[in-house]
Amino acid sequence: MSPEQYCQEKCASSGSSFYYSFLFLPQERRRAIMALYAFCREVDDVVDECNDISLASTKLTWWRQEIERVADGQPQHPVGQALQAVNRDFNLPKEQLLEIIDGMEMDLQQTRYLDFKGLSLYCYRVASVVGLLAAAIFGYQDRQTQKYAHDLGMAFQLTNIIRDVGEDARRGRIYIPMDELKRFNVPAADILNAKYSDNFTALMQFQTERAEQYYAQAFALLPAVDRKNQRPGLIMAAIYRTLLDEIRRENFQVLHQRISLTPVRKIWIACKTWIAG
């Protein structure tokens, strides 16, 4: 299996909504975004699948070293080799790739966030930085597109947090800020024990409104000159916003299940969004 094939398999097997937006890209840009996404999956899997914090930390250190080897032209991992290959055409700053690892490492260091300011740093590292790199791969002319990519990344991560409240709780993590749990009178124990209440519904509605605000900010910031090139991000947004609507229709029943869209529905949304431009 070639590095490119490895990355494509990693992306396809993840079942992520992001994969469907990549399919419409020209070959070189598709190769680049799949290499980036495969890297994100690799380092995220370290945190999610390794129960030994010390071992997970060691693995993330290895990935830091691999990014340095990518920069030096001597990567060892198929994903590192794929990143090196696309770096010739799409300069992916190693500082930003390392910052993504910084975000993943935060999951090893803390399982709670006191306020949204603290959570925002996490979201920036694991999502907005990815958005900035993706926007560069898709191509843009106006630097304001970077601000769009930042806010869209925030919106995506906030959507992930809403969708995965129960799944994260089963790993002992709560990403909803503690001060907001207190404001809505939702004890952390309710999250950990999958206990629904009217207060929990109100809390999740608040989280959803914040995510929607970031989507609106992102769309308002996207310059018209770059809209065509940034259509993959708009496809992701259309899928994720549809997911938010579905979660809302299910009355935020996210503690005991993971609400998702079918692959057919994702493809339909992707096609419709691409055609609409």
Side-chain angles (χ1 to χ4, degrees), residues 165-220:
V165 172
E167 188 174 306
D168 291 330
R170 287 186 285 277
R171 293 191 175 108
R173 301 178 193 159
I174 299 177
Y175 290 99
I176 298 174
M178 292 294 101
D179 64 344
E180 294 173 10
L181 290 179
K182 184 176 180 180
R183 187 193 318 169
F184 285 86
N185 195 25
V186 177
D190 283 4
I191 305 292
L192 297 173
N193 295 317
K195 180 180 178 182
Y196 293 102
S197 66
D198 290 342
N199 288 345
F200 174 77
T201 301
L203 171 66
M204 297 308 294
Q205 180 62 41
F206 176 78
Q207 305 302 314
T208 300
E209 289 170 358
R210 173 188 282 145
E212 288 285 9
Q213 181 180 354
Y214 272 100
Y215 283 115
Q217 288 175 192
F219 298 151

Side-chain angles (χ1 to χ4, degrees), residues 8-39:
Q8 183 171 351
E9 175 64 23
K10 189 76 175 179
C11 294
S13 64
S14 72
S16 170
S17 301
F18 292 85
Y19 177 71
Y20 297 90
S21 69
F22 304 160
L23 301 177
F24 296 86
L25 288 168
Q27 182 177 3
E28 289 306 307
R29 296 188 191 277
R30 186 169 67 248
R31 287 177 60 226
I33 195 64
M34 285 192 175
L36 173 62
Y37 184 75
F39 163 70

Side-chain angles (χ1 to χ4, degrees), residues 16 26 33-34 96 111 128 150-152 182 264:
S16 170
I33 195 64
M34 285 192 175
Q96 290 184 313
T111 59
S128 288
H150 171 279
D151 282 2
L152 195 60
K182 184 176 180 180
V264 170

